Amino acid sequence: MRKVIIMLMLATGCNLAFAQYKPVDKGSTLQFNIKNLGFGVSGKFSGFKGVINFDAQSPVSSSFDVTIDANTVNTDNSLRDSHLRDVSYFNVQKYPVIRFVSSRISSAGKTGIYNVSGKLTIKDVTRNIAFPFTATASGDGYIFKGSFKINRKDFGIGGTSTISNELEVLLDVMAVKG
């Protein structure tokens, strides 16, 4: 069976040279920025987990399947953080993780710069997103950096709150061989 899978992978152009990595909290950040009543509010998440298969020479055979712990939301304001963990925002009791699964990774035409498309799931709502990112070799792993914007209402976050609908997400993820 394994031989058949390998032959199918070779026949379809899949590269077997990719290495597998796992995201780690140390050296990683997932930051978000949003406006509330016109004032900028930022926060972050931690609790990175998942599997990253990455080959810089053949990005089309690469993939991301990563999560963060929604309960780790941190805006440096404990009252606001408790509110964000509640039902109308991230509802962390029912939906403990936020997940991204790539569907396509390609080169952006410059060394170290790539494009990724995939599915972002927050509160059991899945939406397609796409964004550019960089991949920089670091020791026995990579540092992946990118950013994207989403509409919080697309994921049922915040209801009719006074916060802006647009949320910016900044990723700086350290991944080590796993």
Side-chain angles (χ1 to χ4, degrees):
M1 180 64 141
R2 182 179 159 101
K3 187 175 181 180
V4 171
I5 292 170
I6 292 171
M7 288 172 52
L8 281 172
M9 289 174 75
L10 290 172
T12 59
C14 288
N15 186 344
L16 300 177
F18 69 80
Q20 192 170 81
Y21 302 91
K22 63 179 183 172
V24 294
D25 278 333
K26 187 174 183 179
S28 295
T29 57
L30 186 151
Q31 181 178 326
F32 62 89
N33 299 313
I34 194 163
K35 295 221 183 266
N36 186 12
L37 296 172
F39 296 96
V41 175
S42 64
K44 57 189 171 189
F45 288 94
S46 58
F48 292 85
K49 292 184 180 174
V51 175
I52 298 170
N53 295 309
F54 188 71
D55 179 354
Q57 303 308 311
S58 180
V60 295
S61 60
S62 300
S63 64
F64 295 98
D65 186 348
V66 293
T67 64
I68 57 164
D69 180 350
N71 194 49
T72 65
V73 65
N74 181 354
T75 63
D76 290 328
N77 179 316
S78 60
L79 288 175
R80 180 174 41 222
D81 296 345
S82 292
H83 189 62
L84 291 174
R85 290 182 187 105
D86 218 353
V87 173
S88 63
Y89 285 85
F90 291 105
N91 194 1
V92 301
Q93 293 288 12
K94 189 171 182 181
Y95 306 106
V97 298
I98 296 171
R99 183 177 184 196
F100 176 75
V101 178
S102 66
S103 55
R104 184 174 193 283
I105 299 173
S106 62
S107 172
K110 292 183 179 178
T111 303
I113 303 175
Y114 305 90
N115 293 309
V116 63
S117 300
K119 298 188 179 298
L120 177 65
T121 303
I122 303 173
K123 289 179 61 173
D124 212 25
V125 175
T126 301
R127 297 282 186 250
N128 291 319
I129 64 168
F131 59 95
F133 72 95
T134 61
T136 306
S138 175
D140 67 342
Y142 276 92
I143 298 171
F144 298 101
K145 291 184 180 188
S147 66
F148 58 91
K149 293 180 180 178
I150 60 171
N151 184 325
R152 68 174 177 86
K153 287 188 171 185
D154 288 347
F155 296 93
I157 298 172
T160 59
S161 173
T162 59
I163 61 175
S164 171
N165 291 340
E166 186 177 83
L167 173 86
E168 180 184 32
V169 177
L170 304 146
L171 300 165
D172 190 341
V173 180
M174 179 66 188
V176 297
K177 275 197 176 174

